Amino acid sequence: MIGSRKLYVKSFGCQMNVYDSQRMADTLAPEGYVETTAPEDADLIILNTCHIREKAAEKVYSELGRMRGLKETAAADGRNLLIGVAGCVAQAEGDEIIRRAPAVDIVVGSQNYHRLPQLIARAEREGRVVDTEFPIDDKFDHLAAPSRAATRARGVTAFVTVQEGCDKFCSFCVVPYTRGAETSRPVDKIVAEVERLADAGVREITLIGQNVNAYHGKGADGRTWPLSRLLERLARAAGIERLRYTTSHPLDMGDDLIAAHRDLPALMPQLHLPVQSGSDRILAAMNRRHTRADYVGVVSRLRKARPDMALTSDFIVGFPGETEDDFAATLSLVDEIGYAGAFSFKYSPRPGTPGAEMDDQPDEAKKSDRLQHLQQVIDRNQATFNRGCLGRILSVLFERPGRHRGQIVGRSPYLQPVQIEAPLALIGEIGAVTIMEIASNSLFGALAQEPALAAAGA
Ligand code: SF4
């Protein structure tokens, strides 16, 4: 322990980055770093970056300009503020970051952040360091576990990374290049992490991975376990009431995983299943390796297994070559599936991906029009789904205090936020809530029956 120093981590992008940021904080806690929410107080700032969205690298550089000001102010106060860049932009840009932003002391790739203590020591001793090699050692074996208090402070739901990387090579996506090939964590490591989280009061686990349903981890029996078997094992972990997983590829929705939605009560009836387009022509150009009919077939098998399954998705509009007919096919797919929600984005070329080399990139105005139209259709679907919950009694895991006094907020099985008037003591409990009102995609209700409070000390 080297005395108390303050750490500020800013996460961009997906849940995997949120999880990685927490693990960075856990890794640095034994070194005396305590997290702060105020960057101006920090001794170490880490930007955990994402490369998915448009101009991701440019946004990081502009944020680094602001950080340089903080570094200068700290130096004037006699403090040495270290600045680190982690995550996918760090992985993709490497040395270029130091060249363009000399205030940066540490550049660390997605597979290397377990080495942060050594990288910080090197940066303090020798100056700037860059570590973006894909190492042979598994970072998960070297990461410190969070303390029970740190886990409790993060709430009653938690993400657990079980898989990283992707072998699918969709033609618009940088993930296979920034996160590398698919790898899966061994079952026993995941079970141990989930049991530790449960022991600290976590009730809901979301297993995460860039292509999580391609999970193929080694079990204690020496065999390769698919995600369905891992879920079945985790459903038996004491204290874990709810399981989810994200993000999935339609091709990897095997019969065993679909059956798990029928057979495991802990597995929530909600799935984020990106499709990106409703047009077979565009799906082929995107190298998605499935057709619209394949996708619809997966959804119909899922709904046969679990009729109340809530589906969400991702869509890209304006992919190279997308015609009005292709776009109309996307709109019709949204209505055919009846989504509970979806993310939609305008296509923007990522350097180094096949999509960036394609001709016939639609113009910006057309992309904007299509995006707006698609979002209206998605919103209408979401409103219909939410209206279907009115008057129903849903089980809700209460997660945190609401914005108003006397209010607490939880999540339904379908991942909708649900607000009720109830005491804070119910946080961490699952209660039956009658849904009485819907506003801005939040559900409002009242306890249908009091949940039994967990035994003291649980
Ligand atoms: S499956 Fe997902 S992560 Fe993999 S290349 Fe396609 S979009 Fe990217």
Side-chain angles (χ1 to χ4, degrees), residues 15-20 23 113 139-140 143 158-165 179 183-186 189-190 193-194 197 205-210 212 215 230 246:
Q15 297 99 329
M16 296 207 60
N17 267 13
V18 174
Y19 175 87
D20 285 351
R23 301 310 304 265
Y113 62 79
K139 72 174 175 232
F140 291 103
L143 288 169
F159 297 122
V160 173
T161 293
V162 300
Q163 181 277 338
E164 286 198 37
R179 292 273 179 160
T183 54
S184 298
R185 292 177 70 194
K189 299 273 169 55
I190 297 165
E193 185 170 342
V194 167
L197 289 164
I205 298 284
T206 303
L207 304 180
I208 53 176
Q210 269 95 22
V212 71
Y215 176 83
L230 177 66
T246 198

Side-chain angles (χ1 to χ4, degrees), residues 129-339:
V129 285
V130 177
D131 184 0
T132 54
E133 296 297 310
F134 279 1
I136 296 166
D137 54 346
D138 179 3
K139 72 174 175 232
F140 291 103
D141 287 340
H142 300 272
L143 288 169
S147 67
R148 201 163 185 268
T151 303
R152 280 199 95 98
R154 286 171 189 162
V156 297
T157 63
F159 297 122
V160 173
T161 293
V162 300
Q163 181 277 338
E164 286 198 37
C166 183
D167 297 344
K168 296 284 189 293
F169 289 91
C170 298
S171 59
F172 53 84
C173 183
V174 288
V175 165
Y177 311 99
T178 56
R179 292 273 179 160
E182 280 173 8
T183 54
S184 298
R185 292 177 70 194
V187 171
D188 57 346
K189 299 273 169 55
I190 297 165
V191 171
E193 185 170 342
V194 167
E195 287 177 345
R196 185 178 46 68
L197 289 164
D199 180 55
V202 168
R203 293 286 167 265
E204 175 178 307
I205 298 284
T206 303
L207 304 180
I208 53 176
Q210 269 95 22
N211 199 3
V212 71
N213 59 342
Y215 176 83
H216 54 278
K218 193 162 175 228
D221 55 4
R223 293 178 180 221
T224 299
W225 286 30
L227 186 65
S228 56
R229 196 165 169 203
L230 177 66
L231 287 163
E232 189 275 323
R233 170 64 188 86
L234 296 179
R236 288 188 275 116
I240 297 302
E241 310 279 353
R242 291 179 159 198
L243 293 168
R244 305 180 192 272
Y245 58 93
T246 198
T247 294
S248 297
H249 190 284
L251 267 191
D252 294 311
M253 289 306 302
D255 288 341
D256 56 328
L257 188 51
I258 290 173
H261 281 278
R262 181 194 63 211
D263 299 337
L264 298 177
L267 187 54
M268 292 292 98
Q270 170 267 327
L271 184 67
H272 186 66
L273 194 62
V275 63
Q276 311 297 356
S277 171
S279 153
D280 281 342
R281 231 173 51 80
I282 296 299
L283 288 171
M286 287 176 165
N287 193 32
R288 289 288 294 173
R289 311 192 207 180
H290 64 79
T291 61
R292 174 187 176 124
D294 295 334
Y295 183 88
V296 171
V298 167
V299 171
S300 108
R301 279 154 56 223
L302 274 163
R303 287 193 165 141
K304 211 161 157 209
R306 184 76 207 236
D308 64 338
M309 198 79 187
L311 269 300
T312 57
S313 195
D314 293 336
F315 291 91
I316 292 172
V317 297
F319 192 76
E322 185 187 75
T323 62
E324 287 300 332
D325 283 351
D326 295 319
F327 178 60
T330 295
L331 295 178
S332 77
L333 180 68
V334 175
D335 281 334
E336 182 174 353
I337 299 294
Y339 286 104

